[in-house]
Amino acid sequence: MSTLIRNLLNAVAKFFLGILGRGEGIPLPTPSPTPEPTPLPHPVEPPKPGPVLPPIPPVKPSPFTQSQWWHGYYAVTLDWGCTDFTWEDKNPFHPECAHFHEGMDFALPMRTPVYAGYQVTVVGVDVPGYLGANALHLALGSGKPENHDVWLYHMDQVLLHVGHTYPKGTLIGYSGNKGKVTGPHLHFEVRPHNAAYFHSVDPRAVITGKAPR
């Protein structure tokens, strides 16, 4: 009986030893490496404030850009008188000027309504010799010698008819960009009554409604 128990114990011992022997070849899982701490980013310096700029002063409208001939403010892009703009001719009556601009150019957008600032008589529409500028010749008032003529260039459309007289406030037509231009605008020119080209005068009085009637 003791022999049987001894053999049984030996068998059990061999069984467990075999299990332990086979387990020696099974690799144990490798532990994950401990991650290194991520370095903190360098602090970003806030941008330094730039120089304090002075405030932009408000644009003061010129008294000559608000007119009874049109409603609204429009800038003067080329004034009457001496200029370096080579598109303009040399005026023989102003030898001190390299070039001379015979009127004032106002930056009226395309098809801005233009009205009669005085009673006007239409002398000519699209007068020849003005490089396709659709030149409009208007005599102011009753045509007395103290009155003047107004010439409007680059009109897109003229609604008046030659030989007719129209009261102040009549819609003359619409500004445009016909002829030799760099963009839409209105050329406003004033001459003594029936005076020829190169005899223009400062148009400010007529633009602002202060010329003789």
Side-chain angles (χ1 to χ4, degrees):
M1 187 67 178
S2 60
T3 303
L4 179 60
I5 293 173
R6 188 168 48 251
N7 292 337
L8 179 61
L9 292 175
N10 289 334
V12 172
K14 289 181 180 180
F15 174 76
F16 282 105
L17 288 174
I19 292 176
L20 293 174
R22 287 196 301 270
E24 291 176 355
I26 300 174
L28 297 176
T30 304
S32 302
T34 303
E36 296 181 1
T38 304
L40 295 176
H42 295 289
V44 178
E45 295 183 2
K48 296 180 180 179
V52 178
L53 300 178
I56 300 175
V59 177
K60 295 181 180 180
S62 163
F64 307 118
T65 55
Q66 187 71 33
S67 169
Q68 60 180 344
W69 294 78
W70 50 83
H71 302 316
Y73 167 78
Y74 300 100
V76 175
T77 55
L78 189 59
D79 207 344
W80 175 81
C82 296
T83 178
D84 293 328
F85 191 49
T86 56
W87 279 17
E88 303 302 330
D89 297 323
K90 186 173 180 63
N91 188 319
F93 301 104
H94 293 274
E96 73 280 8
C97 304
H99 303 277
F100 196 88
H101 188 225
E102 304 294 335
M104 291 180 74
D105 285 352
F106 292 87
L108 270 64
M110 193 73 183
R111 293 191 64 80
T112 300
V114 180
Y115 306 92
Y118 299 82
Q119 174 181 295
V120 296
T121 299
V122 183
V123 179
V125 176
D126 197 10
V127 180
Y130 288 86
L131 302 176
N134 197 13
L136 173 63
H137 179 188
L138 303 172
L140 300 187
S142 58
K144 295 178 182 180
E146 64 268 23
N147 290 132
H148 293 80
D149 293 349
V150 166
W151 289 75
L152 305 177
Y153 299 172
H154 315 302
M155 296 284 289
D156 184 65
Q157 184 181 12
V158 174
L159 304 177
L160 309 185
H161 300 282
V162 174
H164 290 244
T165 298
Y166 298 89
K168 176 181 177 179
T170 300
L171 178 62
I172 293 173
Y174 300 93
S175 64
N177 61 352
K178 291 190 175 180
K180 191 176 181 181
V181 298
T182 57
H185 71 281
L186 179 71
H187 172 99
F188 194 103
E189 183 175 329
V190 176
R191 306 177 196 168
H193 185 53
N194 285 332
Y197 190 65
F198 288 137
H199 288 78
S200 67
V201 296
D202 191 331
R204 284 169 171 77
V206 174
I207 289 173
T208 55
K210 298 177 182 177
R213 297 171 184 261

